[in-house]
Amino acid sequence: MSSAHREPSALQIAAYAAPALAIAALGQPFYQFAPTLYVRDLGLPAAAIGLIVLVARLVDGAGDLAVGIASDRTGGRFGRRKPWIVLGAPLAAIAAFMALNPPDAPTLGYFAFWTIAVSLAWAMLNIPLNAWGAELSRDYAGRTRVAAVREGLTLLGVIAATAAVAGLSEADGGLVAALAVLGVAVALATPLTAMIAGVGAPDPAPVPLTREPAAAALRGVMANALFRRLLTAQFVNALANALPATLFLLFVGERLGRPDLQGALIGGYFVAGLLSVPVWSWIGSRMPKHRAWCAAMVWACAVFALALFVDGPEDLPLYIAVALLSGLALGADVVLPASMQADVVEAEALTRGDGAPSRTGLVFALWSLATKIALGIAGGVGFGLIGLAGYEPALADQPSAVGPALTLAYAVLPLALKAVAIALMWRFPLDALELERRRERPA
């Protein structure tokens, strides 16, 4: 680690994080709306579309690992991560435009090709962007600021894309016209924000002196006890968050009995999360990040326990409080673990010494892959539990066991998982003082 490193300015951090605003539309909003467009509005078979989405997710995970390793091996005058952002942006622009502006009678092959292209483009942009953020700042609190700006723009992008599609869908043209507009917006915004990052933000990573085989890099990363502990906590917490997210529509419709408020409630949750980002960034810069994250998870548990008492439309005020107050913990979940991961990357690099090959891209690829696995498990567990209880979508009146099963999967299991994550993180042994001690140790 060079002592000549200069901390990025606020303008440089904003430039670096700019692509996150556009990339956000390629994640949740794309997978939320695009399959519905091709099935409901364009008449393609639902089972085949579901299979294609699953394959695209598998390609997405493999792409994360491939891009993470490849970006670790990139070097030259333009930096290590920046070239991936600049080159991935045109692919993302073309893929998003084509996927969201299909012909009148698209084939399954058309949907498969462009959905997989979107997945690969997302990997080319997102993994290097996260790794770049970890290398942009060497300051314990500075890394939290970098993560906060990036994740804040990500949440803003998700909110803007979702709200725009929901709003435009109500006008003439419906979902077809709304997603066409989103496709154009992403096609324009992705190259523009990539250019802003390429020109306005430094990519401080040096040309790698040595390179290591992918298997050796993977073994080295997984041998890091700090990384394993943080990754485990992140996975458990992601699973805790994914269960209610997966079952949200059913819980609001079946347990709360207000399906008409689904959009407003999820919108309020994300807006609360966005507003909380600067608050948790401030808290994380004034106390150990792992303790700040634990505090946020304790808050989330205290609030989400109220969902146990939601049992009908009369509990709407209570559930509004749950949605908004639990959203205030979202900012911590997206900012603090990512900032801590950057600290873990540096701690490992200090152990290996100057000139050791970079593993930052691989670290964030594994991080992304773990989150996706958690989402998949949440879907299987959540829908599996209510299925065992006898849930049938066609039934107007569900069996009596469905309500308790839905509460169990939606609230009880997440509370238990959050408790596990808190236990893993409470005594996490890397904070600002420990990181500084490691820097001062002789090589």
Side-chain angles (χ1 to χ4, degrees):
M1 296 286 177
S2 171
S3 60
H5 177 86
R6 294 180 59 185
E7 285 297 300
S9 66
L11 190 60
Q12 287 174 325
I13 294 174
Y16 148 77
L21 186 63
I23 295 171
L26 300 179
Q28 177 184 321
F30 180 85
Y31 283 99
Q32 179 180 351
F33 295 116
T36 301
L37 168 71
Y38 281 82
V39 172
R40 190 190 69 188
D41 296 82
L42 300 175
L44 294 182
I49 292 295
L51 179 60
I52 290 169
V53 170
L54 175 61
V55 171
R57 286 297 200 183
L58 294 175
V59 171
D60 195 3
D64 285 350
L65 292 174
V67 170
I69 293 169
S71 69
D72 283 339
R73 298 178 177 184
T74 302
R77 60 179 297 193
F78 297 110
R80 176 174 283 144
R81 317 296 173 186
K82 189 180 294 187
W84 287 89
I85 306 297
V86 174
L87 294 175
L91 174 60
I94 295 169
F97 180 83
M98 297 300 291
L100 298 176
N101 287 268
D104 292 336
T107 64
L108 287 171
Y110 182 95
F111 176 76
F113 181 86
W114 289 114
T115 298
I116 290 173
V118 167
S119 296
L120 291 174
W122 189 91
M124 287 182 66
L125 292 167
N126 191 64
I127 301 303
L129 188 70
N130 282 291
W132 186 1
E135 296 163 341
L136 193 60
S137 172
R138 283 196 66 216
D139 181 67
Y140 183 79
R143 287 172 176 148
T144 302
R145 288 191 291 272
V146 170
V149 175
R150 183 187 66 237
E151 299 305 327
L153 288 178
T154 299
L155 285 174
L156 181 60
V158 169
I159 293 168
T162 303
V165 171
L168 291 171
S169 294
E170 300 298 324
D172 292 340
L175 187 62
V176 175
L179 289 185
V181 172
L182 180 64
V184 172
V186 174
L188 294 174
T190 308
L192 176 61
T193 55
M195 184 169 58
I196 291 171
V199 173
D203 187 353
V207 176
L209 301 177
T210 58
R211 298 177 183 180
E212 61 182 336
L218 182 59
R219 286 195 301 270
V221 168
M222 294 310 299
N224 184 341
L226 286 173
F227 173 74
R228 292 198 309 271
R229 185 167 172 178
L230 181 57
L231 182 67
T232 302
Q234 168 63 10
F235 172 80
V236 172
N237 187 61
L239 184 55
N241 292 339
L243 279 165
T246 300
L247 297 172
F248 169 78
L249 296 180
L250 278 178
F251 190 87
V252 173
E254 300 291 341
R255 200 67 170 154
L256 184 63
R258 291 300 303 268
D260 56 309
L261 293 178
Q262 291 168 349
L265 289 169
I266 194 65
Y269 171 80
F270 278 114
V271 170
L274 176 62
L275 295 175
S276 75
V277 164
V279 176
W280 288 112
S281 176
W282 181 84
I283 293 172
S285 67
R286 283 158 177 78
M287 64 184 297
K289 297 171 195 175
H290 61 282
R291 291 292 172 85
W293 189 24
C294 286
M297 289 190 284
V298 170
W299 168 265
C301 287
V303 170
F304 218 71
L306 299 175
L308 298 172
F309 303 100
V310 173
D311 194 29
E314 67 277 5
D315 296 320
L316 177 61
L318 178 64
Y319 189 74
I320 291 174
V322 170
L324 295 180
L325 295 177
S326 63
L328 295 177
L330 178 61
D333 281 340
V334 298
V335 170
L336 297 175
S339 179
M340 292 168 63
Q341 193 61 266
D343 297 329
V344 170
V345 166
E346 183 187 354
E348 190 211 22
L350 289 168
T351 300
R352 293 190 293 136
D354 291 339
S358 172
R359 295 172 178 169
T360 311
L362 177 58
V363 162
F364 280 93
L366 290 169
W367 185 271
S368 176
L369 184 60
T371 302
K372 290 169 184 173
I373 292 172
L375 288 170
I377 292 174
V381 171
F383 286 105
L385 283 173
I386 64 171
L388 290 173
Y391 176 76
E392 290 289 345
L395 295 178
D397 295 316
Q398 298 294 334
S400 59
V402 170
L406 192 52
T407 298
L408 171 65
Y410 184 84
V412 177
L413 287 181
L415 289 171
L417 289 165
K418 288 273 186 184
V420 172
I422 292 167
L424 284 167
M425 280 292 99
W426 185 253
R427 296 185 182 276
F428 191 69
L430 186 65
D431 57 14
L433 291 176
E434 174 60 22
L435 191 59
E436 193 58 39
R437 280 195 291 267
R438 294 185 181 218
R439 288 171 178 170
E440 293 172 354
R441 289 174 188 168

